Amino acid sequence: GLGGLGGGLVVSGRSASFSGVSASSSSSAANVANVDVAPPSSGSSATPTSTPPKPDNGKNVVIVGAGVGGLCMAGRLRREGYAVTLLERGTRAGGRMTSAETPKGYRFDTGPSLLLFPDKYREAFEALGRDIKDYVDIVRVCPPYRIHYGEDHTSVDLSYDCEEMRATCESIEPGSSRSYFRWLSAAKASLDLGVKAFIERDCTSALDFINLKLVGPLALAVNPLELLLPQQFQMSQYFKSDKLKALFSYQELYVGLSPYNAPGVFSLLAATEITDGVWYPKGGFQTVRNAL
């Protein structure tokens, strides 16, 4: 759930769930089965944020998979005047972006459970002619999370506050706070430059990854070895404490990797959590799915 929403990037879910959804040329919205579409929040007029949908162009499009990427693409194409048919093998929309509740009222997100890159979600709704604030209440989680260390049963809170993080690093490894800020600066450069160079653009050839116009600014800002070698190597360039190495590198688990096999460029995940924040949609991720 990191990026398949905006900026022209669409990532279709593999195990999406939706029962045959069709947007005919006479309607600007899909007929959604087994999904209660969330209305705008109380008091909101849900004013469109862009130009009205284009008139029907007489062309038909079939999209296979009603995950987040499929829903966003279907909405974008419908606004361009296409008649869209959205197919799904399951019984619900949204793919992994859904929630489940127990008979006692406890809710669990069955896929993504934290929201990063909130601007990408906002851009996705703007591309559909709407303001996400009319449909989903996204809040910043503070503190973003608490880390528990099994070897000595201590805990550490990650913080957005620079002074609090300085004190945390010093309490674990004296003298490490300067290394923390050097690492964060490099990770933020990976985030800002890497997103522009690769995530927000289509790379159609392996040559795109050696295009100096794309990779040059990133290579000048961050040691290429730190970007390409395993992140554990990158962490060892800044910290001696295994606790600090783990604190800033476990985010690879989000994508099924580990600090021992993920390239160092994945530090951008920790950078966006610390600088942009960890966010959560009130009511669970099902609210985002329903809104789409």
Side-chain angles (χ1 to χ4, degrees):
L2 297 182
L5 291 174
L9 174 67
V10 174
V11 181
S12 295
R14 294 182 181 177
S15 59
S17 40
F18 206 55
S19 48
V21 181
S22 150
S24 67
S25 59
S26 62
S27 171
S28 62
N31 296 315
V32 181
N34 299 324
V35 173
D36 296 324
V37 179
S41 57
S42 177
S44 170
S45 61
T47 304
T49 60
S50 64
T51 57
K54 294 181 180 179
D56 296 338
N57 59 23
K59 298 180 180 179
N60 298 285
V61 174
V62 175
I63 298 175
V64 179
V68 175
L71 290 173
C72 289
M73 180 57 77
R76 290 184 181 217
L77 290 174
R78 185 68 196 104
R79 286 184 59 80
E80 291 297 314
Y82 292 86
V84 180
T85 299
L86 186 56
L87 305 178
E88 173 53 49
R89 66 178 180 178
T91 59
R92 283 182 173 272
R96 294 183 177 88
M97 185 180 282
T98 187
S99 307
E101 294 190 10
T102 68
K104 293 185 178 181
Y106 294 100
R107 185 185 67 251
F108 295 89
D109 290 311
T110 58
S113 55
L114 55 86
L115 191 153
L116 305 180
F117 300 102
D119 284 345
K120 294 303 171 190
Y121 289 77
R122 298 185 184 104
E123 290 173 12
F125 277 79
E126 289 173 3
L128 301 178
R130 296 294 175 180
D131 189 332
I132 191 173
K133 290 186 292 186
D134 292 329
Y135 297 89
V136 184
D137 187 6
I138 300 176
V139 296
R140 200 183 197 203
V141 180
C142 187
Y145 42 71
R146 175 168 294 162
I147 308 299
H148 301 281
Y149 295 103
E151 59 269 23
D152 59 4
H153 304 290
T154 58
S155 300
V156 171
D157 284 352
L158 195 72
S159 175
Y160 304 128
D161 184 88
C162 291
E163 178 57 29
E164 290 181 4
M165 286 305 301
R166 184 202 66 78
T168 294
C169 290
E170 290 293 331
S171 68
I172 296 174
E173 180 186 323
S176 65
S177 59
R178 296 187 65 175
S179 295
Y180 164 73
F181 290 112
R182 285 195 301 112
W183 166 80
L184 183 59
S185 176
K188 188 67 167 62
S190 297
L191 173 65
D192 294 339
L193 298 174
V195 167
K196 291 180 180 179
F198 301 111
I199 296 179
E200 290 186 343
R201 60 181 293 126
D202 291 331
C203 294
T204 58
S205 166
L207 296 177
D208 291 332
F209 294 95
I210 58 175
N211 185 328
L212 291 181
K213 291 183 179 180
L214 297 178
V215 302
L218 182 57
L220 291 174
V222 184
N223 184 342
L225 290 179
E226 291 188 12
L227 297 174
L228 300 175
L229 293 179
Q231 194 174 22
Q232 189 67 10
F233 168 82
Q234 182 194 74
M235 291 291 102
S236 67
Q237 306 304 299
Y238 295 93
F239 308 110
K240 297 179 181 178
S241 167
D242 289 337
K243 285 186 174 182
L244 291 181
K245 292 177 184 178
L247 179 61
F248 303 122
S249 64
Y250 79 88
Q251 289 81 1
E252 285 78 356
L253 296 176
Y254 299 164
V255 291
L257 300 175
S258 80
Y260 300 97
N261 60 19
V265 70
F266 274 91
S267 284
L268 65 84
L269 290 176
T272 191
E273 290 184 340
I274 296 172
T275 58
D276 297 333
V278 173
W279 301 72
Y280 188 76
K282 283 189 174 181
F285 273 86
Q286 61 186 356
T287 62
V288 180
R289 176 204 65 189
N290 291 348
L292 288 173

